[in-house]
Amino acid sequence: MSQKTYDRLIHSHRGLIASTMRDVILPAILGKETDGILYWIGKDLAREYPVASIEDLIVLTEQLGMGKLELRQQNSIQHVWRLSGPIVEERLAVDKEETSFSLEAGFLAQELEFQLSAVTEAEVIEHKHSYVEILAQNDPQSDAESERTELAEFIEIEKPQPQTESASEGDTSKNRRLKRKNKKAQK
């Protein structure tokens, strides 16, 4: 590993170990088959974390450290997704066209297959400097149930809770009371 590679990985948003595993160790082990195998690893990963909705898929993708997922277009057989964020930008900055997002494509294909109950495949269709676009296509005539040996038991995603206004107001009132109490104590 070069100093330049180490410096890039140590300052990665993913952290040194995750960056090293994804960008150094797996390609070293898998060689020319990296993209194909990562695609199937992504599908297997989705089998570990099956979700029932697009909203849960978006949250889970970010929780797994893949980036920010956004549905850009859809019709009955195609979904166009954008994967972006600091992690994606960081990975693309190294070698834009050669950076593999096969794992993410496989993950997305399998998650959609669970949700749509139709065989689904996905591929990266565009690399930009700050995002990639992934096209997922399903075959509504196929029955994904016959392709799987077991049905997915969907997990419930723990979504981050936005702070409510009433909670912040309560904190503000509490702070005011503490300040008044401190002023009285100083007198």
Side-chain angles (χ1 to χ4, degrees), residues 106-180:
F107 176 78
L108 192 54
Q110 187 62 54
E111 289 288 358
L112 291 172
E113 189 168 305
F114 286 141
Q115 293 176 25
L116 302 171
S117 295
V119 174
T120 305
E121 297 296 327
E123 65 179 325
V124 175
I125 57 171
E126 188 170 16
H127 286 86
K128 292 293 186 182
H129 77 282
S130 63
Y131 66 87
V132 293
E133 289 203 341
I134 300 171
L135 171 65
Q137 297 188 89
N138 66 296
D139 179 2
Q141 301 302 314
S142 68
D143 180 16
E145 301 299 328
S146 65
E147 301 273 326
R148 296 192 303 262
T149 56
E150 63 184 70
L151 296 175
E153 190 173 312
F154 295 120
I155 61 171
E156 290 186 32
I157 297 297
E158 189 173 307
K159 295 177 179 81
Q161 297 297 319
Q163 187 176 12
T164 62
E165 213 173 291
S166 59
S168 61
E169 285 174 6
D171 291 342
T172 305
S173 298
K174 185 177 178 181
N175 288 340
R176 283 190 211 128
R177 284 192 303 270
L178 287 172
K179 285 179 184 178
R180 278 190 233 129

Side-chain angles (χ1 to χ4, degrees), residues 30-93:
L30 302 175
K32 294 184 288 185
E33 303 300 323
T34 299
D35 279 347
I37 294 173
L38 283 178
Y39 184 84
W40 291 103
I41 290 172
K43 285 188 145 249
D44 284 342
L45 182 61
R47 289 180 186 104
E48 294 296 320
Y49 298 105
V51 294
S53 71
I54 297 292
E55 295 78 20
D56 286 348
L57 175 58
I58 290 168
V59 172
L60 180 62
T61 301
E62 196 157 354
Q63 288 175 339
L64 287 170
M66 294 180 182
K68 180 183 176 201
L69 187 64
E70 176 185 359
L71 181 58
R72 303 289 293 173
Q73 298 173 355
Q74 81 177 73
N75 61 35
S76 62
I77 60 170
Q78 293 183 335
H79 292 79
V80 177
W81 297 87
R82 179 172 288 175
L83 189 63
S84 62
I87 290 170
V88 173
E89 286 182 42
E90 206 170 72
R91 293 186 64 226
L92 287 168

